[in-house]
Amino acid sequence: MMSLKVSLSMFMTLFGLICIINETNGLDNGLGRTPPMGWNSWNRFNCTIDENLIKQTADALVDYGLRDIGYKYLNIDDCWMGERDEQGYIHASNITFPGGIKALADYTHSKGLLFGIYSDAGYRTCAGRIGSLGFEDVDAITYASWGIDYLKYDNCYNESIPERQRYEIMRDMLNATKRPIFYSICEWGVSQPFLWANEVGNSWRTTGDIHLGWESILDILQQQHKITQYAGPGGWNDPDMLQVGNGNLTIDEQKSHFSLWAALKAPLLLGFDIRYPPTDVLGIVNNTEIIAINQDPLGKSVNIAQSTKRMDVWTGELSDGYVALLFNKAETSITINLNFTAHLNVQGELSIRDLWEHEDKGAYNDSYSREVPKHGIVVLKLTGGTKIKEYPDFIDQYSDAALSEFVIKYGVFVLLLIVIVFQYYIRYFCK
Ligand code: GLA
């Protein structure tokens, strides 16, 4: 009888433990069914932020209609922190955020927006402020008590503790608060987050930081095509925040950047000073037809269907059709052809709509060609046709393109080197 009781209580304890483990195994906030949209302070302002800027930005998100087309998160990045108190609780800098973060979150909420914050899974943030390592429990409780809706969690000063381990601790602490907080993992792609972060966060950075320049956009883009299948409702690849509106990029380049990020199902986090938005920039980020691609409920990223040194064709499925991006990387305008079978995996007649010209282009069979300006893009939504097979096996031409680029650039030097080495060899060893 006794042993039955013991076994029963052991069973109950084990069952309880399994329940606890189960409860903490996985992110449990129901958020991010489509990629998050909003604004973040870093790309434009770095550490020069204060509560007035954030309040004015909240106002601008509403006044320029950005909130109403989906840009709901207002996120402060690094540099809001002051010190920890004796109990370990973190406080905002009393110089730049004297009203405290809760007041700012309340203000943001009163505007119909959501409020996001930043911390670091290390003992310091990347800008050298206080991090959360070892204080995950108090910080998560603090964020929840402030009414935080989004946490970007960075990876500096991490004591070489494996990423997954550190990011899971914060995940469990956020779960424990019971407040749904979008959890944005920012470990820069260093430990292949796409393989594990789906159970940990709502999005994961896939690369190092985006810089303000065309090369940076191309560099990040090139790192996305092998991991597009990992993005989906609840967990998104994050190729970093948008640089649209921050100067240095032409209008065509900004349209390309915005379209590609949208179609990759990246978080659409604006990073320019939206208090004073240039009209042409507003015209880009408020393209609701491109936003609809990003927010499509199917949540499938585009993938690369063809890539050469001069152009890319990216295609993907939508809940109500297909999307194709004809992207010109060349220094002159070029004509790019979309082949329905090879690029889209579809046969038959397709109706085509241009999402930048906001115009129906009619119905086409087999293929459709367009002239695309230098560094520009044509984004097409296609409906109709019949899918050929479930998963297209697109040829990965990125490696070929990279190799031919290398041969073109350095081939002559490599050849010369071989000839010189060969001559020396003959001279000294074949006497
Ligand atoms: C890292 C992140 C950036 C930004 C800065 C802040 O570099 O990747 O996105 O948050 O830290 O210091």
Side-chain angles (χ1 to χ4, degrees), residues 119-178:
S119 190
D120 191 291
Y123 65 90
R124 291 213 166 265
T125 70
C126 295
R129 309 300 158 96
I130 291 174
S132 288
L133 190 63
F135 291 87
E136 294 87 348
D137 47 356
V138 275
D139 283 357
I141 290 169
T142 306
Y143 302 153
S145 75
W146 287 345
I148 299 298
D149 305 297
Y150 185 117
L151 172 66
K152 170 176 171 180
Y153 204 41
D154 216 337
N155 195 24
C156 284
Y157 300 98
N158 60 38
E159 305 274 87
S160 303
I161 303 166
E163 272 74 30
R164 182 169 187 163
Q165 192 179 324
R166 283 176 293 113
Y167 282 87
E168 281 186 344
I169 296 175
M170 185 52 100
R171 184 248 348 244
D172 293 343
M173 295 305 134
L174 291 174
N175 274 349
T177 69
K178 302 281 179 219

Side-chain angles (χ1 to χ4, degrees), residues 42 77-78 118 126-127 152 154 186 188 205 209 240-241:
W42 184 255
D77 208 275
D78 205 343
Y118 162 103
C126 295
K152 170 176 171 180
D154 216 337
C186 178
W188 321 307
R205 276 277 295 278
D209 287 7
D240 208 356
M241 302 169 293

Side-chain angles (χ1 to χ4, degrees), residues 185-386:
I185 293 175
C186 178
E187 57 81 277
W188 321 307
V190 290
S191 60
Q192 298 188 299
F194 42 86
L195 296 179
W196 52 267
N198 204 19
E199 289 166 22
V200 184
N202 298 108
S203 67
W204 46 88
R205 276 277 295 278
T206 56
T207 66
D209 287 7
I210 193 165
H211 299 292
L212 188 49
W214 187 235
E215 289 308 317
S216 175
I217 311 271
L218 289 181
D219 177 43
I220 289 183
L221 183 65
Q222 180 166 324
Q223 298 176 56
Q224 305 309 310
H225 72 290
K226 290 206 169 96
I227 54 171
T228 52
Q229 72 272 27
Y230 296 106
W236 307 101
N237 288 321
D238 174 5
D240 208 356
M241 302 169 293
L242 296 164
Q243 288 288 17
V244 176
N246 281 335
N248 221 12
L249 296 171
T250 66
I251 290 294
D252 277 324
E253 289 171 345
Q254 295 179 73
K255 279 179 168 175
S256 298
H257 173 32
F258 187 67
S259 310
L260 286 158
W261 263 235
L264 284 164
K265 305 292 191 270
L268 289 185
L269 295 175
L270 307 173
F272 64 98
D273 187 350
I274 54 172
R275 297 170 306 167
Y276 311 106
T279 320
D280 44 8
V281 171
L282 268 189
I284 295 173
V285 302
N286 69 13
N287 182 336
T288 49
E289 294 199 77
I290 299 290
I291 291 174
I293 301 296
N294 182 255
Q295 297 293 305
D296 180 65
L298 185 66
K300 269 195 178 179
S301 167
V302 286
N303 205 346
I304 200 141
Q306 189 187 355
S307 179
T308 69
K309 193 171 172 263
R310 291 162 64 77
M311 64 89 166
D312 284 353
V313 176
W314 293 80
T315 59
E317 279 180 72
L318 301 171
S319 54
D320 57 351
Y322 308 92
V323 61
L325 295 90
L326 314 180
F327 174 40
N328 178 3
K329 298 183 283 188
E331 299 306 314
T332 54
S333 71
I334 55 173
T335 300
I336 302 181
N337 178 256
L338 175 72
N339 181 303
F340 300 166
T341 328
H343 295 145
L344 269 179
N345 190 37
V346 174
Q347 266 172 348
E349 192 180 74
L350 284 167
S351 298
I352 298 183
R353 181 170 174 80
D354 184 316
L355 303 188
W356 281 109
E357 291 184 358
H358 305 293
E359 198 175 273
D360 291 329
K361 296 288 178 188
Y364 289 79
N365 269 300
D366 305 328
S367 69
Y368 179 74
S369 286
R370 281 288 289 277
E371 169 135 353
V372 189
K374 168 186 168 179
H375 298 181
I377 203 156
V378 168
V379 184
L380 306 170
K381 182 168 174 179
L382 307 101
T383 43
T386 322

